[in-house]
Amino acid sequence: RVRNPGGANVTRAVQGGGRATLAKSVEAAPQGYAVTLTLTVDRTLENVRLTDPLPVAASGAAAVRGPLTVQGPSLAGVNARAEGDSILLARVIPGTYTVTYTLLTDQAADAVVTAPDLAW
């Protein structure tokens, strides 16, 4: 069983008094772990960076992030791409976005869960 990290929920103030919230959950999957990041925004934002550190084993081997899947409002120009420990979203409009991927690692469940962060 995998538990969510402390600090798995992040809220940031957006210009103009809006808010952006990011929540993370991790579940065991047949191959690795299924990671879900849920982003909720109430203002249009450009260049949103979801920082989601990949766990590193004691041997120094980093985990591997599988392909990203994004669901959210159809008019947003999300264009999600992974860049190191970050996931970049080009443009989001008000609504809820779900970013999922498979985390491939041989680490134990208690070592794979990392706390996310949010910036733009």
Side-chain angles (χ1 to χ4, degrees):
R1 181 166 190 204
V2 181
R3 297 191 323 200
N4 295 338
N9 297 315
V10 179
T11 300
R12 298 278 185 256
V14 179
Q15 283 184 336
R19 295 172 65 89
T21 303
L22 178 64
K24 179 179 180 177
S25 66
V26 179
E27 301 292 331
Q31 294 181 347
Y33 299 90
V35 179
T36 302
L37 298 169
T38 304
L39 172 67
T40 303
V41 297
D42 61 5
R43 296 279 194 270
T44 298
L45 299 173
E46 306 285 336
N47 301 315
V48 177
R49 180 177 298 271
L50 309 179
T51 304
D52 185 27
L54 294 171
V56 177
S59 67
V64 176
R65 179 182 285 126
L68 300 174
T69 302
V70 181
Q71 295 180 339
S74 61
L75 296 176
V78 176
N79 297 327
R81 73 179 194 275
E83 188 176 275
D85 281 346
S86 296
I87 298 169
L88 303 175
L89 307 177
R91 181 175 183 269
V92 295
I93 61 174
T96 299
Y97 298 81
T98 303
V99 179
T100 57
Y101 66 89
T102 300
L103 181 68
L104 305 171
T105 183
D106 58 359
Q107 297 180 47
D110 62 343
V112 301
V113 184
T114 58
D117 202 359
L118 173 63
W120 56 88

